Amino acid sequence: MKFRRVGIVGAGQLGRMLALSGYPMGLRCTFLDRSGDAPGAQVAPILVGDLEDAGKLAQLAANSDVVTFDWENISAKLLVPLEKTAAIRPPAAALEVSQDRLREKALFARLKIPVAAHAAVDSRDELLQATRKLGLPGVLKTRRLGYDGKGQYVLRSPAQIDEAWSLLGGPGLIYEKFQEFSREVSIVGARSATGQTVFYPLAANVHGGGILHYSIAPFASGALERKAQTYLKRVMNALAYVGVLTIEFFVVKGRLVANEMAPRVHNSGHWTIEGCVTSQFENHLRAICDLPLGSTRALGHTAMVNFLGKMPDLRRLLSIDGLAYHDYGKEPRPGRKLGHCTILKRRAAERNSALADALKLIEWT
Ligand code: AMP
């Protein structure tokens, strides 16, 4: 096998689930992470150091045939020298685009993928102008390093401009028109270096306070799913992408509006571990290791629920038939993603009723 040793930058739960899915195929993962006790470090060897430490990155690349990411906010200029030692997948250019909400939206727009009306904001005055031009309500976001609703402020009246500016103010912001969506959905797919692509069924996602609470999949909407796949393929091809890529969308009046993309496996794809023939984690590894991509066929009707801030009772949840429990081995902290469960059933009604039972046992703190 050409690529057998996989270096993973970041050892969070995504890295951990990647490493676990690599073992059966004989792949060996090594992590780089700040913490020797990170979720990934509990299942595979780790180099401890800053994710942007050039020396540590070089050491990781020297021990790997291919380097990939659990965390995408690594400066592309640190990755270029690594290409002499190991393949960098997904490509650094894809990471760069997804690090900046403005560049991401520019790429979507260039590829004729609808996005919310938006404006770059670098001063209080520009924020005022943006709210006048695009109207209220709107969302002020940091262009970089925002995730799970962090670094965001929903503006509903001009009186909130001062508060929004005092909380987030500074250069490097974006103001987006608020989307009155009926649903949030996401599409996860994989592309290999030879251009083979596979797409998972569409997932419907329910967020609270900007963070994913649960997903249901497949979300039955043939037309939306085909459109989402077309959009994802456009982005993959434009970036000569290798690996798993995710796009999150708002559904507004029956149309998809792209919100953001993630150049990696995604929380809204965790259901594929039990819910599909081949999981997103395995397909990411297959793609970056030049192996044939696996079937993305759904095995039934699935729900995935995040454990946030507090782990629910293992015994009570496991008494729900068809439920799989995942504990990432993290210290509890409010709002922190600590684990998830997935329910797989043959019929949608059975899935919905088991989901309702599980939700009674899960508290998001
Ligand atoms: P993000 O970090 O961009 O994924 O945003 C987190 C969540 O905040 C999204 O999943 C939505 O629920 C909400 N949100 C973000 N941007 C907007 C928007 N322009 N309009 C309405 N809701 C939004």
Side-chain angles (χ1 to χ4, degrees), residues 101 116 139 141 146-150 152 176-181 184 207 210-211 248 250 259-260:
R101 291 183 189 273
V139 189
K141 299 180 180 179
Y147 67 100
D148 288 344
K150 293 182 177 67
Q152 296 194 13
E176 292 174 17
K177 198 167 166 57
F178 191 88
Q179 301 300 294
E180 302 290 350
F181 55 82
E184 292 187 79
H207 294 83
I211 188 163
E248 293 182 84
F250 303 119
N259 178 28
E260 60 178 348

Side-chain angles (χ1 to χ4, degrees), residues 188-191 196-200 232 236 283 293-296:
V188 178
R191 183 179 185 275
Q196 185 194 359
T197 51
V198 291
F199 301 97
Y200 288 94
L232 184 58
M236 286 174 159
N283 261 335
L293 301 181
S295 164
T296 52

Side-chain angles (χ1 to χ4, degrees), residues 271-282:
W271 67 276
T272 62
I273 297 178
E274 290 83 11
C276 291
V277 176
T278 316
S279 77
Q280 62 164 349
F281 300 98
E282 182 172 334

